[in-house]
Amino acid sequence: MQPKARKAYVPGLAALLVAVVAGCSGGGATDGAVTDTKPGGPSTATTAQPGKYRTLREPCGSVPRSMLKDLLPGAASLPEDQQTKVYQGTASVTYDTDRRVGCSWKATSPDAANQLMIDLERVVSYDPSVSDADRAQEVFTRKQTAAGLSPSTASGTPGGTPSASGKGGTGTDTAPGATTQTGSPSGSGSPSGAPSGTPSDGTTPDGLEPRVLDGPGDAAFLDDVLARPGAAAQQRTVSVVFRTSNVIVTVRYSAQPAHPTVVPDSKELQDKARGLARTLNEQLNE
């Protein structure tokens, strides 16, 4: 029996296989980078960092009961079952609770009515070159501009307007010079009794005007609007908006006295709204 013949070795085929393997394994982009193969030379584009927050807290349970009692004094005179319902709040209707949530509360008494609303929005950037936090800052800036505060106010020197030092715990916040506020905010409420810190003409006291705040969060501002929703009622709404990384939080607190001559006190409303904003910021950073 003759031995089996060996298969012929083909140098050309071996060289071709080596070339194919080298082409597949060599010259590729590094992990985590994108290679631009457009004419003019390859370049590497980095992807922006995702936001700190991937989910949002349940909003109606975020406000401590002790704070709700202070913010909604009218609830204290209600029967216990109605108090429980008031303090539970009403969740906002949203389509994605990982992107936006909110809750509102309202209490009315013979002397006053109060309304509280909180809104939390998680911003996501769909541009790989823009981080979630940067995109959130863009959204925050638009809200700030809509409140009549230009981004330049953040430097403490609004264009052509001297800054005012805060009063009653406002720290080193800056404020534009305008004092009279108009508008029609939603919600209603009021502290009981005659106010001690608001002028009788309804203007906002010096140092308590709408302004950029030092905190909470990475950026924050406060708006204060006095309006007449009825023939004689005077309603004041204080809003505190702040950004922490890629989450924007809005606290809106309104007061409307039952007596037409009572003007809601700016300082009282602002102190309460800012206190709640600080609490929500602390919860986000737990």
Side-chain angles (χ1 to χ4, degrees):
M1 179 181 295
Q2 294 183 354
K4 294 181 180 180
R6 293 185 178 179
K7 292 183 180 181
Y9 179 76
V10 184
L13 178 59
L16 177 60
L17 292 174
V18 171
V20 171
V21 173
C24 292
S25 61
T30 58
D31 293 340
V34 178
T35 301
D36 184 0
T37 58
K38 294 179 180 179
S43 61
T44 299
T46 58
T47 301
Q49 292 294 320
K52 176 180 179 181
Y53 301 100
R54 302 297 181 90
T55 59
L56 292 170
R57 294 176 62 97
E58 192 284 312
C60 292
S62 297
V63 183
R65 177 66 65 92
S66 59
M67 298 193 76
L68 286 173
K69 289 181 178 180
D70 185 43
L71 291 161
L72 306 170
S77 59
L78 298 174
E80 185 174 351
D81 59 335
Q82 294 184 31
Q83 287 187 36
T84 300
K85 185 176 180 179
V86 168
Y87 294 143
Q88 284 178 345
T90 302
S92 304
V93 177
T94 62
Y95 296 99
D96 186 350
T97 54
D98 284 335
R99 292 291 301 276
R100 190 160 199 165
V101 295
C103 193
S104 61
W105 299 260
K106 184 176 182 179
T108 303
S109 70
D111 296 327
N114 298 82
Q115 182 165 312
L116 171 69
M117 186 279 295
I118 63 173
D119 178 86
L120 293 85
E121 178 182 2
R122 185 176 68 90
V123 180
V124 177
S125 172
Y126 294 101
D127 184 343
S129 65
V130 179
S131 70
D132 292 345
D134 287 342
R135 184 68 73 201
Q137 180 60 36
E138 294 176 5
V139 177
F140 175 86
T141 299
R142 289 197 294 269
K143 292 177 179 290
Q144 180 177 314
T145 302
L149 298 168
S150 64
S152 62
T153 308
S155 65
T157 54
T161 305
S163 61
S165 60
K167 294 181 180 180
T170 56
T172 58
D173 307 332
T174 58
T179 58
T180 301
Q181 303 300 316
T182 60
S184 299
S186 61
S188 60
S190 168
S192 60
S196 59
T198 299
S200 59
D201 62 358
T203 60
T204 305
D206 292 341
L208 296 177
E209 304 93 338
R211 60 199 182 278
V212 170
L213 304 174
D214 290 337
D218 301 314
F221 71 86
L222 179 148
D223 196 14
D224 187 320
V225 178
L226 181 67
R228 292 179 180 272
Q234 301 196 67
Q235 174 182 286
R236 186 180 297 279
T237 299
V238 171
S239 301
V240 176
V241 183
F242 69 91
R243 177 185 69 84
T244 296
S245 185
N246 61 317
V247 170
I248 298 174
V249 179
T250 299
V251 173
R252 184 173 295 120
Y253 182 48
S254 298
Q256 181 177 309
H259 198 287
T261 62
V262 178
V263 180
D265 184 11
S266 281
K267 183 181 182 301
E268 180 178 359
L269 269 65
Q270 290 188 19
D271 286 349
K272 290 182 178 182
R274 294 186 65 182
L276 176 54
R278 286 191 294 268
T279 296
L280 295 176
N281 183 59
E282 290 170 358
Q283 292 176 355
L284 284 170
N285 290 283
E286 288 178 350

